[in-house]
Amino acid sequence: MRFISELVNNRTLLGLAYGPGVPPFIERNPGLLDYVELPFELLQHDPNAAEIQKQLPVILHCASMSVAGFVPPSESTLNAIAQHVERTRTPWIGEHLAFMSADPLERGAALHEPTTLTYTVCPQLSEEVLERVCQNLKELQMRFDAPLIVENSPQYFSIPGSTMSIVDFSIEVHKRCNVGILLDLTHFTISSINMGFDPIKELDRLPLERVVEIHLSGLDMQGDAAWDDHAGLADDSMFELAERVFVRAQPKALTFEYNWAPDLPDGVLIDQIARARKLTEHAQKL
Amino acid sequence: MPRNSDKVGLSAPLVHSVLAAAMTDPSLLESWRHAPETLGRVGLRPDAIDLNRIWRFSGLVTKVRHNDVRLTFPLTFRLLDHADLSIALFAEYARVAAELRKTGVKSRDEKAHALYNFLEEWLDHRIRFHAFVWDLIRHEKTMNGLESTSAIPVDTAILGQTEGQKLSTKFTPVRASNLIVHDMGCNPVDLAEIVRTNIAVVRSLPYKKRLFAYCRTRDAAAIQVVEIDAITSVIIDLANGKRSITELATLVRQFGVAVDPRQLCKPVAQLVAKGMLYAS
């Protein structure tokens, strides 16, 4: 088994989000990557995915804690996450600043069964949710030996009852809670397109010195909106945003989320990784 | 059920419940889209929420739930994304997918089969991009099917005549069991390569119906995709192992093509050489 602690820790590590093409890519390109980001939900569904840790260290990623929700995850879920934290020795747990479960809408036989989603949803951006996030993070953090960092959601539509922008919401979360940032620059760009704000200006308002990890992936313009697309590549604008982050901070890791595309050519991935390596090394020298 | 509190604004638990319900019950979302005033029953004004954008988000979620099917049809998924079709397609498909999950349809093959069938009806085959999507998914499905079939060569004694040898008009060919003919708007092998390497070119590809036969080669070592003409397609269809070349010629004449049985011997021999027809 390989662990992050083995690696040199004064540079930004580069990794890929786990997908079916990742293990053979690592075999074909030894030494290119530092880690694989592995989803907790995949480990629950397919424990064999853990075998990747024989090739590279793992950072655990989660979409189960419903950090911005009002229905907590089950004890069994939290216990399972804790076990994976211990086994993988992940340096942190990336979780979404989103909700994944909610109270049922209708009365009936399933009255006490919450509605659980398979995808994270941007929460209402309000004081009520802010207070809940802080409470949830405080309780959740006590469960794990590794620190939680929270990932910004992509915003696809206005959430009813919101009283602030997603950027202001994020700023407030990090002002009130001692939690690191998993800055998904694709999600940030998606939100900027869909909600009509200037990504550069708003990026500069974030407490970037708290960024622990960066995510990059593609986005897909369809109809009149931008959508998350882990089968597409991060474009120049996202790399430019990453450069801006590195002017102010030294994130510990940068993950490419290309886990929907089974057939990305090696050359394309290698180029992307090389570009990120150059960006992070240049920033380190400054 | 969460309620609005006395505070100004909509309660977050209520809003989250509404969004979660919309995501998990596509029928409910559809009913709200068609009659937005019914949102009032759950405490929301119709103008408080963009149901169409939520519907599209449900398409993204359904698409992600079909990431395994992307492994079966990688190029089709690529083309659907490039043609700005995937979000709307999966938003329409969300209801079907939810019903299938309730009936226990879970395996990748089952999901791929269901999506394929849905696409056949959903696509507007008069629209070029839609037509190319249909061509491509049929190409991928057929190639997947042939790749999973046996690569054991047929016994040469059964293969009968080889190319170059003359066939008699009494020869009774039978269609290779793994042979499939599709009508496509362009060479599907070229289309697949273009989608793989230079997808922007699809926009300028001409669309003209042609026939392509898919089967394993005579030695079963490879899969071949061969363009054929209409007469060849008719011969393949009629070759049931009971009709001689003479009888095939008679039937071909009924399609309005005047052909002497001796004229069919060479093309039939060529099809046998390719492994598309066998001696019965």
Side-chain angles (χ1 to χ4, degrees), chain A residues 20 68 70 99 102-105 107 115-121 123-124 128-129 156-157 159-161 194 220-222 224-225 227-228 231 260 262-263, chain B residues 1-3 10-13 15-21 23-24 32 42 48-49 53-54 56-57 60-61 64-65 67 70-71 74 81 84-87:
Chain A
F70 292 84
F99 74 93
D103 285 315
L105 201 56
R107 291 188 178 277
T115 307
T116 304
L117 303 170
T118 59
Y119 204 78
T120 57
V121 183
Q124 185 190 67
E128 189 179 7
V129 177
Y156 296 112
F157 45 85
I159 314 294
N194 293 337
D220 187 16
M221 290 299 302
Q222 284 197 34
D224 56 352
W227 306 95
D228 210 5
W260 297 354
D263 54 351
Chain B
M1 172 175 150
R3 300 211 183 278
L10 293 165
S11 110
V15 169
H16 289 189
S17 293
V18 170
L19 291 176
M23 296 279 86
T24 50
W32 284 339
V42 296
I49 192 165
R53 191 60 74 83
I54 290 171
R56 285 181 167 267
F57 178 50
L60 175 66
V61 173
V64 173
R65 287 187 98 126
N67 271 344
R70 188 188 283 262
L71 297 174
D81 285 340
D84 294 351
L85 292 174
S86 60
I87 296 291

Side-chain angles (χ1 to χ4, degrees), chain B residues 67-176:
Chain B
N67 271 344
D68 52 344
V69 178
R70 188 188 283 262
L71 297 174
T72 303
F73 301 132
L75 297 176
T76 303
F77 269 66
R78 247 191 125 212
L79 186 56
L80 281 167
D81 285 340
H82 177 74
D84 294 351
L85 292 174
S86 60
I87 296 291
L89 160 67
F90 281 103
E92 293 275 4
Y93 190 58
R95 197 164 159 177
V96 171
E99 288 300 316
L100 288 170
R101 278 196 303 277
K102 281 186 202 162
T103 62
V105 168
K106 277 184 194 173
S107 77
R108 181 173 129 192
D109 283 348
E110 286 172 317
K111 287 162 72 177
H113 183 72
L115 181 64
Y116 178 92
N117 289 340
F118 181 84
L119 258 180
E120 184 171 15
E121 298 300 323
W122 183 82
L123 290 167
D124 183 343
H125 297 269
R126 298 164 302 180
I127 300 175
R128 255 174 82 258
F129 251 125
H130 288 227
F132 278 136
V133 167
W134 184 236
D135 285 356
L136 194 52
I137 196 170
R138 283 184 296 152
H139 173 72
E140 290 194 288
K141 181 173 187 279
T142 307
M143 294 296 285
N144 290 341
L146 285 169
E147 273 157 15
S148 66
T149 58
S150 168
I152 300 169
V154 180
D155 188 331
T156 48
I158 299 170
L159 282 175
Q161 302 292 323
T162 58
E163 189 171 11
Q165 290 187 357
K166 284 189 177 176
L167 291 181
S168 122
T169 54
K170 293 180 185 169
F171 181 76
T172 51
V174 64
R175 174 185 179 140

